[in-house]
PDB file of all heavy atoms in Angstrom:
ATOM      1  N   GLN A1266       8.237  14.750  10.495  1.00  0.00           N
ATOM      2  CA  GLN A1266       8.998  13.575  10.052  1.00  0.00           C
ATOM      3  C   GLN A1266       8.176  12.297  10.264  1.00  0.00           C
ATOM      4  O   GLN A1266       8.151  11.403   9.402  1.00  0.00           O
ATOM      5  CB  GLN A1266      10.316  13.482  10.827  1.00  0.00           C
ATOM      6  CG  GLN A1266      11.339  14.493  10.393  1.00  0.00           C
ATOM      7  CD  GLN A1266      12.593  14.448  11.303  1.00  0.00           C
ATOM      8  OE1 GLN A1266      12.609  13.772  12.328  1.00  0.00           O
ATOM      9  NE2 GLN A1266      13.613  15.190  10.911  1.00  0.00           N
ATOM     10  N   GLN A1267       7.512  12.236  11.419  1.00  0.00           N
ATOM     11  CA  GLN A1267       6.667  11.076  11.691  1.00  0.00           C
ATOM     12  C   GLN A1267       5.547  11.000  10.667  1.00  0.00           C
ATOM     13  O   GLN A1267       5.214   9.918  10.175  1.00  0.00           O
ATOM     14  CB  GLN A1267       6.082  11.162  13.105  1.00  0.00           C
ATOM     15  CG  GLN A1267       7.069  10.802  14.198  1.00  0.00           C
ATOM     16  CD  GLN A1267       6.431  10.879  15.603  1.00  0.00           C
ATOM     17  OE1 GLN A1267       5.307  11.372  15.763  1.00  0.00           O
ATOM     18  NE2 GLN A1267       7.180  10.411  16.596  1.00  0.00           N
ATOM     19  N   GLN A1268       4.985  12.200  10.326  1.00  0.00           N
ATOM     20  CA  GLN A1268       3.892  12.228   9.336  1.00  0.00           C
ATOM     21  C   GLN A1268       4.406  11.768   7.985  1.00  0.00           C
ATOM     22  O   GLN A1268       3.746  11.002   7.296  1.00  0.00           O
ATOM     23  CB  GLN A1268       3.301  13.639   9.244  1.00  0.00           C
ATOM     24  CG  GLN A1268       2.114  13.675   8.298  1.00  0.00           C
ATOM     25  CD  GLN A1268       1.618  15.111   8.023  1.00  0.00           C
ATOM     26  OE1 GLN A1268       2.202  16.101   8.499  1.00  0.00           O
ATOM     27  NE2 GLN A1268       0.566  15.201   7.279  1.00  0.00           N
ATOM     28  N   GLU A1269       5.620  12.265   7.613  1.00  0.00           N
ATOM     29  CA  GLU A1269       6.202  11.859   6.327  1.00  0.00           C
ATOM     30  C   GLU A1269       6.486  10.362   6.336  1.00  0.00           C
ATOM     31  O   GLU A1269       6.221   9.659   5.354  1.00  0.00           O
ATOM     32  CB  GLU A1269       7.485  12.650   6.070  1.00  0.00           C
ATOM     33  CG  GLU A1269       7.241  14.100   5.688  1.00  0.00           C
ATOM     34  CD  GLU A1269       8.531  14.916   5.559  1.00  0.00           C
ATOM     35  OE1 GLU A1269       9.623  14.339   5.812  1.00  0.00           O
ATOM     36  OE2 GLU A1269       8.424  16.081   5.213  1.00  0.00           O
ATOM     37  N   ALA A1270       7.040   9.883   7.478  1.00  0.00           N
ATOM     38  CA  ALA A1270       7.323   8.456   7.598  1.00  0.00           C
ATOM     39  C   ALA A1270       6.018   7.664   7.497  1.00  0.00           C
ATOM     40  O   ALA A1270       5.923   6.657   6.779  1.00  0.00           O
ATOM     41  CB  ALA A1270       8.033   8.148   8.897  1.00  0.00           C
ATOM     42  N   LEU A1271       4.991   8.149   8.230  1.00  0.00           N
ATOM     43  CA  LEU A1271       3.696   7.478   8.181  1.00  0.00           C
ATOM     44  C   LEU A1271       3.084   7.561   6.787  1.00  0.00           C
ATOM     45  O   LEU A1271       2.468   6.599   6.304  1.00  0.00           O
ATOM     46  CB  LEU A1271       2.742   8.067   9.216  1.00  0.00           C
ATOM     47  CG  LEU A1271       3.028   7.681  10.676  1.00  0.00           C
ATOM     48  CD1 LEU A1271       2.092   8.472  11.604  1.00  0.00           C
ATOM     49  CD2 LEU A1271       2.828   6.192  10.897  1.00  0.00           C
ATOM     50  N   SER A1272       3.262   8.747   6.160  1.00  0.00           N
ATOM     51  CA  SER A1272       2.745   8.933   4.809  1.00  0.00           C
ATOM     52  C   SER A1272       3.435   7.958   3.852  1.00  0.00           C
ATOM     53  O   SER A1272       2.786   7.330   3.012  1.00  0.00           O
ATOM     54  CB  SER A1272       2.970  10.381   4.372  1.00  0.00           C
ATOM     55  OG  SER A1272       2.443  10.571   3.088  1.00  0.00           O
ATOM     56  N   ALA A1273       4.775   7.822   4.002  1.00  0.00           N
ATOM     57  CA  ALA A1273       5.523   6.899   3.153  1.00  0.00           C
ATOM     58  C   ALA A1273       5.062   5.462   3.423  1.00  0.00           C
ATOM     59  O   ALA A1273       4.849   4.670   2.504  1.00  0.00           O
ATOM     60  CB  ALA A1273       7.022   7.036   3.416  1.00  0.00           C
ATOM     61  N   GLN A1274       4.910   5.137   4.732  1.00  0.00           N
ATOM     62  CA  GLN A1274       4.446   3.798   5.094  1.00  0.00           C
ATOM     63  C   GLN A1274       3.040   3.555   4.541  1.00  0.00           C
ATOM     64  O   GLN A1274       2.742   2.474   4.042  1.00  0.00           O
ATOM     65  CB  GLN A1274       4.437   3.629   6.618  1.00  0.00           C
ATOM     66  CG  GLN A1274       5.807   3.447   7.218  1.00  0.00           C
ATOM     67  CD  GLN A1274       5.737   3.328   8.744  1.00  0.00           C
ATOM     68  OE1 GLN A1274       4.671   3.506   9.355  1.00  0.00           O
ATOM     69  NE2 GLN A1274       6.890   3.054   9.362  1.00  0.00           N
ATOM     70  N   LEU A1275       2.211   4.610   4.626  1.00  0.00           N
ATOM     71  CA  LEU A1275       0.849   4.499   4.108  1.00  0.00           C
ATOM     72  C   LEU A1275       0.880   4.293   2.604  1.00  0.00           C
ATOM     73  O   LEU A1275       0.115   3.478   2.075  1.00  0.00           O
ATOM     74  CB  LEU A1275       0.050   5.755   4.487  1.00  0.00           C
ATOM     75  CG  LEU A1275      -1.452   5.700   4.219  1.00  0.00           C
ATOM     76  CD1 LEU A1275      -2.111   4.560   4.996  1.00  0.00           C
ATOM     77  CD2 LEU A1275      -2.111   7.022   4.591  1.00  0.00           C
ATOM     78  N   GLN A1276       1.765   4.998   1.947  1.00  0.00           N
ATOM     79  CA  GLN A1276       1.926   4.860   0.498  1.00  0.00           C
ATOM     80  C   GLN A1276       2.329   3.417   0.171  1.00  0.00           C
ATOM     81  O   GLN A1276       1.779   2.794  -0.729  1.00  0.00           O
ATOM     82  CB  GLN A1276       2.978   5.851  -0.024  1.00  0.00           C
ATOM     83  CG  GLN A1276       3.130   5.858  -1.531  1.00  0.00           C
ATOM     84  CD  GLN A1276       1.883   6.360  -2.240  1.00  0.00           C
ATOM     85  OE1 GLN A1276       1.149   7.226  -1.755  1.00  0.00           O
ATOM     86  NE2 GLN A1276       1.607   5.812  -3.402  1.00  0.00           N
ATOM     87  N   VAL A1277       3.302   2.902   0.949  1.00  0.00           N
ATOM     88  CA  VAL A1277       3.751   1.510   0.751  1.00  0.00           C
ATOM     89  C   VAL A1277       2.603   0.554   0.994  1.00  0.00           C
ATOM     90  O   VAL A1277       2.368  -0.389   0.229  1.00  0.00           O
ATOM     91  CB  VAL A1277       4.948   1.197   1.679  1.00  0.00           C
ATOM     92  CG1 VAL A1277       5.265  -0.296   1.698  1.00  0.00           C
ATOM     93  CG2 VAL A1277       6.178   1.975   1.264  1.00  0.00           C
ATOM     94  N   VAL A1278       1.845   0.825   2.088  1.00  0.00           N
ATOM     95  CA  VAL A1278       0.701  -0.030   2.400  1.00  0.00           C
ATOM     96  C   VAL A1278      -0.329   0.031   1.276  1.00  0.00           C
ATOM     97  O   VAL A1278      -0.869  -0.997   0.871  1.00  0.00           O
ATOM     98  CB  VAL A1278       0.079   0.363   3.753  1.00  0.00           C
ATOM     99  CG1 VAL A1278      -1.284  -0.295   3.965  1.00  0.00           C
ATOM    100  CG2 VAL A1278       1.019   0.004   4.894  1.00  0.00           C
ATOM    101  N   TYR A1279      -0.616   1.238   0.749  1.00  0.00           N
ATOM    102  CA  TYR A1279      -1.574   1.383  -0.354  1.00  0.00           C
ATOM    103  C   TYR A1279      -1.097   0.616  -1.589  1.00  0.00           C
ATOM    104  O   TYR A1279      -1.878  -0.077  -2.240  1.00  0.00           O
ATOM    105  CB  TYR A1279      -1.801   2.866  -0.689  1.00  0.00           C
ATOM    106  CG  TYR A1279      -2.783   3.574   0.236  1.00  0.00           C
ATOM    107  CD1 TYR A1279      -2.577   4.884   0.646  1.00  0.00           C
ATOM    108  CD2 TYR A1279      -3.949   2.927   0.665  1.00  0.00           C
ATOM    109  CE1 TYR A1279      -3.475   5.537   1.485  1.00  0.00           C
ATOM    110  CE2 TYR A1279      -4.841   3.583   1.497  1.00  0.00           C
ATOM    111  CZ  TYR A1279      -4.605   4.871   1.908  1.00  0.00           C
ATOM    112  OH  TYR A1279      -5.486   5.500   2.737  1.00  0.00           O
ATOM    113  N   GLU A1280       0.194   0.791  -1.898  1.00  0.00           N
ATOM    114  CA  GLU A1280       0.735   0.078  -3.068  1.00  0.00           C
ATOM    115  C   GLU A1280       0.646  -1.434  -2.843  1.00  0.00           C
ATOM    116  O   GLU A1280       0.259  -2.184  -3.741  1.00  0.00           O
ATOM    117  CB  GLU A1280       2.186   0.511  -3.308  1.00  0.00           C
ATOM    118  CG  GLU A1280       2.312   1.904  -3.886  1.00  0.00           C
ATOM    119  CD  GLU A1280       3.780   2.358  -4.003  1.00  0.00           C
ATOM    120  OE1 GLU A1280       4.682   1.515  -3.797  1.00  0.00           O
ATOM    121  OE2 GLU A1280       3.992   3.529  -4.304  1.00  0.00           O
ATOM    122  N   HIS A1281       1.013  -1.837  -1.627  1.00  0.00           N
ATOM    123  CA  HIS A1281       0.953  -3.266  -1.305  1.00  0.00           C
ATOM    124  C   HIS A1281      -0.491  -3.764  -1.408  1.00  0.00           C
ATOM    125  O   HIS A1281      -0.749  -4.836  -1.965  1.00  0.00           O
ATOM    126  CB  HIS A1281       1.509  -3.501   0.105  1.00  0.00           C
ATOM    127  CG  HIS A1281       1.614  -4.953   0.476  1.00  0.00           C
ATOM    128  ND1 HIS A1281       2.441  -5.829  -0.193  1.00  0.00           N
ATOM    129  CD2 HIS A1281       0.975  -5.685   1.446  1.00  0.00           C
ATOM    130  CE1 HIS A1281       2.317  -7.032   0.332  1.00  0.00           C
ATOM    131  NE2 HIS A1281       1.424  -6.969   1.355  1.00  0.00           N
ATOM    132  N   ARG A1282      -1.420  -2.954  -0.867  1.00  0.00           N
ATOM    133  CA  ARG A1282      -2.837  -3.303  -0.931  1.00  0.00           C
ATOM    134  C   ARG A1282      -3.302  -3.390  -2.382  1.00  0.00           C
ATOM    135  O   ARG A1282      -4.046  -4.304  -2.757  1.00  0.00           O
ATOM    136  CB  ARG A1282      -3.656  -2.264  -0.167  1.00  0.00           C
ATOM    137  CG  ARG A1282      -5.127  -2.590  -0.160  1.00  0.00           C
ATOM    138  CD  ARG A1282      -5.901  -1.604   0.690  1.00  0.00           C
ATOM    139  NE  ARG A1282      -7.304  -1.899   0.562  1.00  0.00           N
ATOM    140  CZ  ARG A1282      -8.222  -1.002   0.254  1.00  0.00           C
ATOM    141  NH1 ARG A1282      -7.896   0.250   0.078  1.00  0.00           N
ATOM    142  NH2 ARG A1282      -9.488  -1.352   0.153  1.00  0.00           N
ATOM    143  N   SER A1283      -2.841  -2.425  -3.177  1.00  0.00           N
ATOM    144  CA  SER A1283      -3.210  -2.396  -4.587  1.00  0.00           C
ATOM    145  C   SER A1283      -2.693  -3.661  -5.286  1.00  0.00           C
ATOM    146  O   SER A1283      -3.412  -4.302  -6.053  1.00  0.00           O
ATOM    147  CB  SER A1283      -2.640  -1.133  -5.238  1.00  0.00           C
ATOM    148  OG  SER A1283      -2.876  -1.152  -6.611  1.00  0.00           O
ATOM    149  N   ARG A1284      -1.418  -4.021  -4.979  1.00  0.00           N
ATOM    150  CA  ARG A1284      -0.851  -5.248  -5.578  1.00  0.00           C
ATOM    151  C   ARG A1284      -1.643  -6.480  -5.113  1.00  0.00           C
ATOM    152  O   ARG A1284      -1.939  -7.387  -5.886  1.00  0.00           O
ATOM    153  CB  ARG A1284       0.621  -5.386  -5.181  1.00  0.00           C
ATOM    154  CG  ARG A1284       1.548  -4.562  -6.057  1.00  0.00           C
ATOM    155  CD  ARG A1284       3.000  -5.003  -5.899  1.00  0.00           C
ATOM    156  NE  ARG A1284       3.487  -4.981  -4.515  1.00  0.00           N
ATOM    157  CZ  ARG A1284       4.080  -3.946  -3.949  1.00  0.00           C
ATOM    158  NH1 ARG A1284       4.289  -2.848  -4.648  1.00  0.00           N
ATOM    159  NH2 ARG A1284       4.483  -4.007  -2.690  1.00  0.00           N
ATOM    160  N   LEU A1285      -1.951  -6.471  -3.796  1.00  0.00           N
ATOM    161  CA  LEU A1285      -2.711  -7.609  -3.263  1.00  0.00           C
ATOM    162  C   LEU A1285      -4.083  -7.718  -3.915  1.00  0.00           C
ATOM    163  O   LEU A1285      -4.552  -8.817  -4.228  1.00  0.00           O
ATOM    164  CB  LEU A1285      -2.861  -7.499  -1.740  1.00  0.00           C
ATOM    165  CG  LEU A1285      -1.620  -7.833  -0.915  1.00  0.00           C
ATOM    166  CD1 LEU A1285      -1.888  -7.578   0.570  1.00  0.00           C
ATOM    167  CD2 LEU A1285      -1.209  -9.281  -1.106  1.00  0.00           C
ATOM    168  N   GLU A1286      -4.751  -6.553  -4.126  1.00  0.00           N
ATOM    169  CA  GLU A1286      -6.071  -6.563  -4.772  1.00  0.00           C
ATOM    170  C   GLU A1286      -5.964  -7.070  -6.200  1.00  0.00           C
ATOM    171  O   GLU A1286      -6.808  -7.850  -6.640  1.00  0.00           O
ATOM    172  CB  GLU A1286      -6.696  -5.162  -4.724  1.00  0.00           C
ATOM    173  CG  GLU A1286      -7.269  -4.819  -3.366  1.00  0.00           C
ATOM    174  CD  GLU A1286      -7.902  -3.426  -3.330  1.00  0.00           C
ATOM    175  OE1 GLU A1286      -7.779  -2.681  -4.321  1.00  0.00           O
ATOM    176  OE2 GLU A1286      -8.524  -3.102  -2.304  1.00  0.00           O
ATOM    177  N   ARG A1287      -4.913  -6.606  -6.923  1.00  0.00           N
ATOM    178  CA  ARG A1287      -4.719  -7.091  -8.292  1.00  0.00           C
ATOM    179  C   ARG A1287      -4.454  -8.607  -8.277  1.00  0.00           C
ATOM    180  O   ARG A1287      -5.012  -9.369  -9.080  1.00  0.00           O
ATOM    181  CB  ARG A1287      -3.562  -6.344  -8.964  1.00  0.00           C
ATOM    182  CG  ARG A1287      -3.932  -4.953  -9.457  1.00  0.00           C
ATOM    183  CD  ARG A1287      -2.893  -4.388 -10.414  1.00  0.00           C
ATOM    184  NE  ARG A1287      -1.529  -4.321  -9.862  1.00  0.00           N
ATOM    185  CZ  ARG A1287      -1.041  -3.300  -9.178  1.00  0.00           C
ATOM    186  NH1 ARG A1287      -1.797  -2.235  -8.950  1.00  0.00           N
ATOM    187  NH2 ARG A1287       0.196  -3.324  -8.719  1.00  0.00           N
ATOM    188  N   SER A1288      -3.585  -9.004  -7.330  1.00  0.00           N
ATOM    189  CA  SER A1288      -3.263 -10.429  -7.206  1.00  0.00           C
ATOM    190  C   SER A1288      -4.516 -11.230  -6.849  1.00  0.00           C
ATOM    191  O   SER A1288      -4.765 -12.309  -7.400  1.00  0.00           O
ATOM    192  CB  SER A1288      -2.191 -10.613  -6.129  1.00  0.00           C
ATOM    193  OG  SER A1288      -1.891 -11.967  -5.960  1.00  0.00           O
ATOM    194  N   LEU A1289      -5.330 -10.674  -5.921  1.00  0.00           N
ATOM    195  CA  LEU A1289      -6.576 -11.328  -5.536  1.00  0.00           C
ATOM    196  C   LEU A1289      -7.513 -11.423  -6.728  1.00  0.00           C
ATOM    197  O   LEU A1289      -8.140 -12.477  -6.946  1.00  0.00           O
ATOM    198  CB  LEU A1289      -7.235 -10.559  -4.381  1.00  0.00           C
ATOM    199  CG  LEU A1289      -8.547 -11.141  -3.849  1.00  0.00           C
ATOM    200  CD1 LEU A1289      -8.311 -12.526  -3.248  1.00  0.00           C
ATOM    201  CD2 LEU A1289      -9.160 -10.216  -2.815  1.00  0.00           C
ATOM    202  N   GLN A1290      -7.621 -10.335  -7.522  1.00  0.00           N
ATOM    203  CA  GLN A1290      -8.463 -10.338  -8.722  1.00  0.00           C
ATOM    204  C   GLN A1290      -7.988 -11.434  -9.671  1.00  0.00           C
ATOM    205  O   GLN A1290      -8.798 -12.186 -10.214  1.00  0.00           O
ATOM    206  CB  GLN A1290      -8.360  -8.993  -9.444  1.00  0.00           C
ATOM    207  CG  GLN A1290      -9.455  -7.947  -9.329  1.00  0.00           C
ATOM    208  CD  GLN A1290     -10.812  -8.411  -8.923  1.00  0.00           C
ATOM    209  OE1 GLN A1290     -11.116  -8.587  -7.761  1.00  0.00           O
ATOM    210  NE2 GLN A1290     -11.682  -8.597  -9.899  1.00  0.00           N
ATOM    211  N   LYS A1291      -6.658 -11.462  -9.862  1.00  0.00           N
ATOM    212  CA  LYS A1291      -6.070 -12.468 -10.762  1.00  0.00           C
ATOM    213  C   LYS A1291      -6.369 -13.876 -10.239  1.00  0.00           C
ATOM    214  O   LYS A1291      -6.780 -14.760 -11.006  1.00  0.00           O
ATOM    215  CB  LYS A1291      -4.556 -12.234 -10.845  1.00  0.00           C
ATOM    216  CG  LYS A1291      -3.858 -13.105 -11.854  1.00  0.00           C
ATOM    217  CD  LYS A1291      -2.376 -12.765 -11.890  1.00  0.00           C
ATOM    218  CE  LYS A1291      -1.624 -13.756 -12.751  1.00  0.00           C
ATOM    219  NZ  LYS A1291      -0.189 -13.582 -12.656  1.00  0.00           N
ATOM    220  N   GLU A1292      -6.177 -14.076  -8.921  1.00  0.00           N
ATOM    221  CA  GLU A1292      -6.445 -15.390  -8.311  1.00  0.00           C
ATOM    222  C   GLU A1292      -7.923 -15.758  -8.452  1.00  0.00           C
ATOM    223  O   GLU A1292      -8.258 -16.892  -8.749  1.00  0.00           O
ATOM    224  CB  GLU A1292      -6.073 -15.380  -6.817  1.00  0.00           C
ATOM    225  CG  GLU A1292      -4.585 -15.446  -6.544  1.00  0.00           C
ATOM    226  CD  GLU A1292      -3.966 -16.766  -6.967  1.00  0.00           C
ATOM    227  OE1 GLU A1292      -4.609 -17.813  -6.800  1.00  0.00           O
ATOM    228  OE2 GLU A1292      -2.839 -16.737  -7.489  1.00  0.00           O
TER     229      GLU A1292
END
């Protein structure tokens, strides 16, 4: 469960990072 939670959090972090990178590229 912790791994799944961490995996989900990691997924969120990756998506957030991806959005931030796109936003940074745009900026």
